[in-house]
Amino acid sequence: MLQVYLVRHGETEWNVAHRIQGQSDSPLTEIGRRQALLVAQRVQSESITHVITSDLGRTRETAEIIAKACGCEVILEPRLREINMGILENRELSSLTQEEESWRKSLVDGTPNGRIPEGESMNEVCSRMRAALESCLDLPTGSRPLLVSHGMALVSLIFSILGLPANSERRLRLRNCSISRVDYQDSPWLASGWIVETAGDITHLNMPALDELQG
């Protein structure tokens, strides 16, 4: 059985400012760095062998803190990037027009093929996220990888494993530096292949953590 840990990046300055990030970037806050350290302490005993991360700055910084504790190198994987939020990147939520807000909400309210102009759909994000996860099956036997990615991207991946459309109504909260785990296994009581063991665990955090709908 292959166990893969999924971690959302730590809190960023734009999370706090309620500014849309997408594939633009914002540095971690001091709280975000502390959150990443708490993840590192939580997984230090899990024999992590690979720390694989989105190549955006906020995930790289989170991954570097975790990798240092686990004694791993950081491996960059662009397919783990956040959804491209198109023309709304770098915008504060409070500045959106009614039409712009409808574009944004189309990514979380179940709208078929919802997208922001010049951005990605949840299905497109899910396709590359799933490919990144499947590549973990090529790691050496006994590997235990940890992937660092983003809220919307990770939700699309977990939805796909559960057999839900990537653009389903958003009913899963993944807070900053939450930990999820998916396993590739063959069980008589579960469907063969990928299953969700845990999703959105924040019991390792000793401070409040934002989700992407809060910032």
Side-chain angles (χ1 to χ4, degrees):
M1 179 174 69
L2 176 65
Q3 298 177 343
V4 181
Y5 290 84
L6 309 174
V7 175
R8 184 185 170 212
H9 63 79
E11 180 187 276
T12 71
E13 292 179 3
W14 285 13
N15 288 148
V16 175
H18 293 213
R19 187 182 295 273
I20 296 171
Q21 296 181 112
Q23 294 186 1
S24 302
D25 221 347
S26 170
L28 297 185
T29 62
E30 186 55 39
I31 287 176
R33 296 184 188 94
R34 287 164 54 200
Q35 290 170 336
L37 183 58
L38 289 170
V39 172
Q41 293 170 352
R42 162 68 178 79
V43 301
Q44 205 166 12
S45 62
E46 300 295 343
S47 302
I48 300 299
T49 58
H50 300 77
V51 175
I52 305 168
T53 181
S54 155
D55 59 349
L56 299 179
R58 58 192 186 271
T59 40
R60 290 177 65 171
E61 187 174 2
T62 302
E64 286 164 1
I65 293 169
I66 298 169
K68 181 177 180 181
C70 295
C72 300
E73 298 293 324
V74 172
I75 301 169
L76 300 184
E77 173 52 86
R79 290 178 294 187
L80 295 176
R81 282 187 171 198
E82 181 59 296
I83 187 171
N84 185 332
M85 299 287 276
I87 65 173
L88 296 188
E89 295 204 3
N90 196 22
R91 293 281 301 281
E92 291 186 4
L93 292 178
S94 60
S95 75
L96 301 185
T97 66
Q98 186 174 1
E99 181 181 31
E100 289 169 340
E101 175 63 3
S102 72
W103 296 337
R104 188 188 72 82
K105 289 299 291 290
S106 73
L107 299 175
V108 297
D109 66 5
T111 299
N113 299 313
R115 72 171 70 233
I116 296 165
E118 300 181 20
E120 288 179 291
S121 71
M122 290 294 282
N123 288 323
E124 289 167 339
V125 176
C126 181
S127 178
R128 57 177 169 80
M129 288 291 292
R130 191 63 186 250
L133 177 65
E134 296 291 342
S135 69
C136 291
L137 296 173
D138 297 327
L139 295 173
T141 301
S143 295
R144 187 170 285 189
L146 181 148
L147 311 185
V148 184
S149 187
H150 307 262
M152 300 283 283
L154 287 170
V155 163
S156 75
L157 178 61
I158 292 172
F159 277 5
S160 77
I161 293 171
L162 292 173
L164 297 170
N167 65 304
S168 297
E169 287 184 318
R170 174 73 183 276
R171 299 190 183 277
L172 173 63
R173 173 173 286 128
L174 297 181
R175 296 186 182 274
N176 289 124
C177 274
S178 60
I179 301 175
S180 304
R181 200 187 93 195
V182 298
D183 299 344
Y184 192 86
Q185 49 76 63
D186 186 11
S187 164
W189 297 106
L190 295 167
S192 296
W194 293 106
I195 59 101
V196 177
E197 176 70 21
T198 59
D201 180 15
I202 55 170
T203 56
H204 53 288
L205 301 180
N206 59 10
M207 64 193 78
L210 298 173
D211 67 26
E212 51 280 312
L213 300 184
Q214 292 174 301

